[in-house]
């Protein structure tokens, strides 16, 4: 039996940076989809805020265009579009100065007794100034604030940023988004682990040989090169998304799905990560940067050409062999890799089990492959459990390796909601389970900082790889040295 969708209370969502890319591509379409599904209460209103002067009507046209660009035309036919657009209004506000704030405050107050949510879809250097003025204009008292990465570029700057926000908003009203936590299959990881009796007894170093987490993108950095060059794959993907996935795979079962119960367990994983520094960096990390190559059948430029600089040493690919220093996972490597311009867009977690201790079948049946659980986050979300079975037919036993294959699209035939749809409404519901707590973000930086530092100390440029491949050959060597191999595309 499926359970009901948890309703949301009336809210006023103020989006700072409302005319920016995140708002256009993700937030406006996500809110519309929730409205289309009847999940926004009648009284819910959305106030767009940015520096540029614009009327309510102009902002609604901007939002209409965002819907046209990001939502299939078939979903935009009904009266719901107009209903959605009437929820929107706009105020021009200077994040760094006082202009527009009184007007914003009076709009929020005029909206009445609603849950006030402030979504800071802006550059992070504005988080502090915006929070300060939310405080100054009396908007923070009941308000919830949503921020998103990059939360700092190292531990020190992350602490400073968390402190700026924390001066105005207590932790229980700060929602740090990692949109990977809102992905359907990521939550399925919790369902798989904790709603089945099958896996948990095997979920440890006695039965699991290793884990692979791959988040591969086929696209390059494109128009985000400016930001990306200040970050690189380690800060952009590993410090947040990949470590969050690792936490969900490796954490102890929380006592409930309460936000702090889950986040306490994730924090313990982050704190158990074996440090990587000058001593072991070369043997457990690989960084790469793409050169010109081919993607989707066409020629594509290299990172340096896209950036327009010949000197950047920013990595567009990272592979790391991570280890957890605790009883459950001692000796089980977690191979992590992520990169731009790789051979295909695929994100998946592969849990490789240990081989059977003894074969009763003799030599004639071929190798007995170890079991594998593959959790595919995107595309084609689903779960595969690879098993050995008997090849059908007479003439003795021959074994074959096959997947029990569950594609969510085929099994449920429903649209897979975007992560932001779930996360924005979770803020309104006051549910922080899928948001990162301050100490998690800081613990992640604590592990990442020495890796970045050891790369800087080594003064070696990232290894080149051809666009459209699986990264530098050293990344393949990283895992093959251990007698294992990267598994791609659900294999
Ligand atoms: C973002 C990164 O957080 O995640 C981007 O900044 C990356 O560089 C993106 O492309 C990937 O998200 P998704 O949901 O497309 O896998």
């Amino acid at each position: 039996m499926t359970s009901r969708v948890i309703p949301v209370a009336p809210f006023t969502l103020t989006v700072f940076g409302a005319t920016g890319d995140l708002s256009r591509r993700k937030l406006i379409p996500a809110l519309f989809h929730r409205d289309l599904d009847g999940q926004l209460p009648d009284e819910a209103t959305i106030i767009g805020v940015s520096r540029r002067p614009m009327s309510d009507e102009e902002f609604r046209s901007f939002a209409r265009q965002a819907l046209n660009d990001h939502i299939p035309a078939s979903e935009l036919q009904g009266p719901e579009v107009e209903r959605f657009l009437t929820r929107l209004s706009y105020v021009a506000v200077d994040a760094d100065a006082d202009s527009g704030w009184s007007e914003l405050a009076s709009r929020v107050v005029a909206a009445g007794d609603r849950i006030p949510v402030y979504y800071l879809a802006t550059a992070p250097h504005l988080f502090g100034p915006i929070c300060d003025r939310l405080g100054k204009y009396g908007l923070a008292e009941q308000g919830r604030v949503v921020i998103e990465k990059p939360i700092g570029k190292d531990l020190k700057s992350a602490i400073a940023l968390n402190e700026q926000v924390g001066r105005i908003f207590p932790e229980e009203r700060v929602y740090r988004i990692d949109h990977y936590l809102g992905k359907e299959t990521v939550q399925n990881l919790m369902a798989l682990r904790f709603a089945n009796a099958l896996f948990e007894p095997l979920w440890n170093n006695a039965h699991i040989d290793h884990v692979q987490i791959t988040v591969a993108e086929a696209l390059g950095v494109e128009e985000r090169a400016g930001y990306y060059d200040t970050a690189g794959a380690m800060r952009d993907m590993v410090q947040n998304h990949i470590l969050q996935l690792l936490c969900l795979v490796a954490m102890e079962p929380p006592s409930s799905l309460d936000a702090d119960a889950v986040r306490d367990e994730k924090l313990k994983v982050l704190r158990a990560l074996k440090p990587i520094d000058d001593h072991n960096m070369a043997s457990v990390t690989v960084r790469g940067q793409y050169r010109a190559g081919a993607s989707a059948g066409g020629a594509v430029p290299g990172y340096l050409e896209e950036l327009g600089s010949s000197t950047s040493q920013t990595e567009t690919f990272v592979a790391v062999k991570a280890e957890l220093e605790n009883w459950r996972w001692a000796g089980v490597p977690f191979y992590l890799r992520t990169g731009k311009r790789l051979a295909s867009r695929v994100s998946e977690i592969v849990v490789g089990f240990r081989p059977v201790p003894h074969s009763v079948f003799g030599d004639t049946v071929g190798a007995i492959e170890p079991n594998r659980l593959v959790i595919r986050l995107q595309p084609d979300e689903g779960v595969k459990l690879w098993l050995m079975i008997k090849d059908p037919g007479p003439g003795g036993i021959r074994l074959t390796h096959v997947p029990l294959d569950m594609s969510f699209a085929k099994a449920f035939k429903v649209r897979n909601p975007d992560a932001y749809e779930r996360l924005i409404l979770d803020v309104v519901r006051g549910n922080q389970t899928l948001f990162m707590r301050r100490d998690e973000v800081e613990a992640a930086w604590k592990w990442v900082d020495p890796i970045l530092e050891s790369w800087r100390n080594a003064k070696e440029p990232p290894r080149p790889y051809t666009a459209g491949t699986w990264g530098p050959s050293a990344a393949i060597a990283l895992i093959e040295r251990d007698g294992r191999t990267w598994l791609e595309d659900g294999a």
Side-chain angles (χ1 to χ4, degrees):
M1 203 178 83
T2 53
S3 53
R4 68 197 171 86
V5 173
I6 302 165
V8 295
F11 63 89
T12 300
L13 169 65
T14 304
V15 180
F16 289 84
T19 54
D21 199 47
L22 179 65
S23 165
R24 191 168 50 81
R25 281 189 309 113
K26 294 289 184 184
L27 307 183
I28 292 172
L31 286 159
F32 173 72
H33 264 136
R34 292 294 85 222
D35 202 7
L36 196 58
D37 286 353
Q39 251 208 305
L40 298 196
D42 289 345
E43 307 87 342
T45 54
I46 298 152
I47 305 175
V49 167
S50 77
R51 190 191 289 255
R52 100 163 83 132
M54 207 187 240
S55 66
D56 290 346
E57 259 331 298
E58 283 166 328
F59 182 57
R60 287 182 188 136
S61 310
F62 168 85
R64 188 190 298 279
Q65 191 57 47
L67 298 180
N68 290 339
D69 291 345
H70 298 285
I71 296 206
S74 58
E75 293 178 36
L76 297 175
Q77 304 305 327
E80 295 86 359
V81 175
E82 295 312 315
R83 182 186 67 194
F84 175 72
L85 293 174
T86 58
R87 297 179 184 278
L88 307 187
S89 62
Y90 182 84
V91 187
V93 165
D94 194 340
D96 262 335
D98 282 315
S99 80
W101 283 91
S102 305
E103 168 68 10
L104 175 63
S106 59
R107 293 253 189 134
V108 173
V109 172
D113 188 17
R114 310 270 186 272
I115 295 173
V117 176
Y118 303 100
Y119 199 122
L120 312 194
T122 63
H125 72 271
L126 295 174
F127 294 172
I130 292 175
C131 288
D132 285 346
R133 286 201 165 71
L134 286 170
K136 176 171 167 189
Y137 285 85
L139 294 172
E141 269 146 44
Q142 304 301 321
R144 299 170 189 175
V145 70
V146 186
I147 58 177
E148 195 159 343
K149 69 167 245 285
I151 298 178
K153 61 177 182 36
D154 52 20
L155 177 60
K156 190 165 163 239
S157 51
I159 291 176
L161 202 149
N162 281 330
E163 258 158 28
Q164 281 183 317
V165 174
R167 273 201 295 273
I168 306 296
F169 291 93
E171 184 62 28
E172 63 274 14
R173 289 194 273 117
V174 179
Y175 291 75
R176 292 180 195 80
I177 285 200
D178 182 313
H179 78 280
Y180 266 60
L181 292 180
K183 288 186 191 275
E184 191 72 20
T185 328
V186 175
Q187 291 176 63
N188 236 310
L189 189 56
M190 290 204 267
L192 266 181
R193 284 193 60 192
F194 307 129
N196 295 288
L198 206 59
F199 297 113
E200 210 44 33
L202 304 181
W203 214 255
N204 55 49
N205 52 8
H207 302 284
I208 292 180
D209 173 72
H210 75 286
V211 175
Q212 302 184 12
I213 302 180
T214 297
V215 178
E217 297 184 88
L219 293 178
V221 292
E222 283 141 11
E223 72 282 358
R224 290 173 75 234
Y227 148 75
Y228 192 88
D229 201 55
T230 64
M234 182 57 108
R235 292 189 176 94
D236 188 50
M237 297 296 289
V238 179
Q239 189 273 344
N240 34 77
H241 306 323
I242 293 202
L243 287 185
Q244 286 291 322
L245 296 179
L246 186 151
C247 284
L248 294 179
V249 174
M251 69 183 181
E252 295 299 315
S255 58
S256 72
L257 280 192
D258 279 355
D260 280 336
V262 172
R263 299 187 301 176
D264 286 348
E265 295 308 337
K266 287 198 293 166
L267 181 64
K268 287 182 206 159
V269 174
L270 293 166
R271 288 185 172 157
L273 278 162
K274 179 174 173 181
I276 298 176
D277 53 25
D278 290 346
H279 298 102
N280 53 353
M281 172 277 281
S283 59
V284 298
T285 73
V286 173
R287 56 199 294 264
Q289 191 187 68
Y290 61 86
R291 298 286 179 260
S295 178
V300 290
Y303 177 71
L304 296 178
E305 285 96 76
E306 276 181 338
L307 183 66
S309 145
S310 57
T311 54
S312 168
Q313 300 214 343
T314 299
E315 78 285 355
T316 61
F317 175 95
V318 178
V320 180
K321 176 182 172 183
E323 287 177 83
L324 293 172
E325 298 184 310
N326 62 23
W327 272 47
R328 188 188 277 259
W329 295 113
V332 179
F334 285 72
Y335 298 99
L336 318 175
R337 67 176 170 167
T338 183
K340 303 268 182 202
R341 281 277 185 244
L342 296 184
S344 60
R345 176 175 182 256
V346 52
S347 298
E348 60 189 19
I349 299 169
V350 180
V351 179
F353 290 89
R354 289 192 184 280
V356 292
H358 166 71
S359 170
V360 300
F361 298 99
D363 296 337
T364 54
V365 298
I368 300 182
E369 295 275 339
N371 299 125
R372 277 199 293 276
L373 178 66
V374 180
I375 299 147
R376 167 72 76 107
L377 312 183
Q378 58 195 25
D380 313 327
E381 293 82 348
V383 177
K384 278 185 193 171
L385 180 61
W386 286 85
L387 304 169
M388 295 303 295
I389 61 156
K390 181 190 161 299
D391 211 10
I397 289 193
R398 293 171 307 276
L399 298 178
T400 182
H401 201 211
V402 292
L404 281 183
D405 188 355
M406 219 225 7
S407 145
F408 296 152
K410 282 189 209 137
F412 296 108
K413 298 190 173 57
V414 289
R415 184 182 68 85
N416 201 355
D418 187 75
Y420 284 90
E421 296 181 39
R422 167 174 296 115
L423 294 174
I424 296 172
L425 292 201
D426 272 2
V427 179
V428 181
R429 292 186 189 103
N431 181 352
Q432 289 183 307
T433 302
L434 297 178
F435 297 83
M436 294 179 295
R437 206 168 54 192
R438 172 179 178 161
D439 47 9
E440 283 181 81
V441 174
E442 294 176 5
W445 279 120
K446 228 178 192 158
W447 184 71
V448 162
D449 271 3
I451 305 179
L452 293 170
E453 198 191 325
S454 66
W455 285 345
R456 273 193 304 274
N457 293 343
K459 295 195 174 63
E460 277 175 23
R463 293 165 192 269
Y465 62 96
T466 305
T469 65
W470 283 106
S473 54
I476 298 172
L478 173 80
I479 188 166
E480 302 225 329
R481 268 202 300 276
D482 294 346
R484 304 182 177 102
T485 191
W486 291 110
L487 296 158
E488 273 122 29
D489 289 335

